[in-house]
Amino acid sequence: GALPPEIAAGVHHLDLSQNLLSIVPVRLLKPLSGLVELDLSFNDLGTFPTLALCQLPRLASLNLSHTSLESVTASAEMLSRGLPRLTELDLSYNRLALLPAGLHGLARLEALDLTANQLVHSVGSAADAALGGLTRLRSLSLAQNGCLRLPACVCSLPLSRLDVSDNRLSRLPSAISQLHGLEELMVHRDLHSISASCTCDGGHFSI
């Protein structure tokens, strides 16, 4: 059941991880209008709980790792209206085969973790549309996805940290040199040959 209103109003951090949840009841989160951080990791959700989550106007951090997610069907408009302050989103260790189309609705997003999904073919215009609007994104992980190449838009994001380790890249795109603010680049156990022009001022590259 839902928390009593007098308690719910003061809750800023909620950990619901490892509860064998297959759904997130709308009534459970609705009273938590002041929630800033929510951990739903290690549950069995399968799909993004749009109705439950898109009613949290102050939420800044959302952890949906290890939740068997196969899709995130929420539109950009729904995410923009329902999660207007979200800055950190963890979707790692799921079953996503495509980048969620509505991601660009999260205009304040600064950190996105997509480690260990199934984004082998997530390149092209759909991927660029999903990520291209994230004009505040500083940290992105696409590690362990079996990617053969990176979405073109990655090189136009304001990234300071990029992790593309454990993929099947044969080269880094030459456009990666456009990431002038890049401080951390992880390409661990990945490239068969290095073919890119990269410059970094005081950053850390792991290849």
Side-chain angles (χ1 to χ4, degrees):
L3 289 172
E6 61 273 18
I7 295 176
V11 175
H12 294 159
H13 304 270
L14 179 62
D15 187 346
L16 291 172
S17 62
Q18 302 186 62
N19 271 294
L20 301 177
L21 296 175
S22 58
I23 61 170
V24 181
V26 173
R27 68 180 184 278
L28 176 65
L29 298 183
K30 189 172 184 179
L32 303 172
S33 58
L35 200 62
V36 174
E37 184 175 345
L38 176 59
D39 188 347
L40 286 166
S41 62
F42 293 95
N43 282 294
D44 192 25
L45 301 179
T47 58
F48 187 83
T50 302
L51 294 179
L53 295 180
C54 288
Q55 57 177 354
L56 301 172
R58 297 185 183 178
L59 195 70
S61 177
L62 175 59
N63 188 347
L64 285 166
S65 65
H66 298 273
T67 51
S68 303
L69 285 185
E70 295 183 357
S71 64
V72 177
T73 57
S75 68
E77 183 179 1
M78 292 183 74
L79 292 176
S80 177
R81 289 184 178 181
L83 295 168
R85 297 190 185 181
L86 197 69
T87 58
E88 299 179 8
L89 177 59
D90 189 344
L91 294 172
S92 63
Y93 295 90
N94 282 300
R95 303 171 185 169
L96 298 174
L98 297 171
L99 285 166
L103 273 179
H104 65 278
L106 298 171
R108 295 195 181 188
L109 201 64
E110 297 177 3
L112 175 61
D113 193 342
L114 289 160
T115 301
N117 278 279
Q118 300 167 12
L119 301 172
V120 179
H121 303 295
S122 281
V123 294
S125 59
D128 290 343
L131 294 176
L134 301 179
T135 58
R136 298 189 183 185
L137 197 67
R138 303 287 293 164
S139 175
L140 173 64
S141 177
L142 292 168
Q144 301 179 48
N145 272 285
C147 296
L148 300 173
R149 58 192 178 99
L150 299 179
C153 66
V154 166
C155 297
S156 63
L157 296 171
L159 298 176
S160 61
R161 179 183 184 276
L162 175 61
D163 188 351
V164 292
S165 300
D166 288 298
N167 281 293
R168 292 187 288 166
L169 302 174
S170 60
R171 64 188 297 276
L172 289 174
S174 58
I176 204 166
S177 61
Q178 297 172 14
L179 294 175
H180 301 299
L182 196 64
E183 297 174 359
E184 249 186 295
L185 173 62
M186 284 151 282
V187 202
H188 175 65
R189 209 163 50 184
D190 203 341
L191 298 179
H192 300 292
S193 63
I194 303 296
S195 177
S197 172
C198 299
T199 57
C200 182
D201 248 347
H204 175 68
F205 285 6
S206 174
I207 296 176

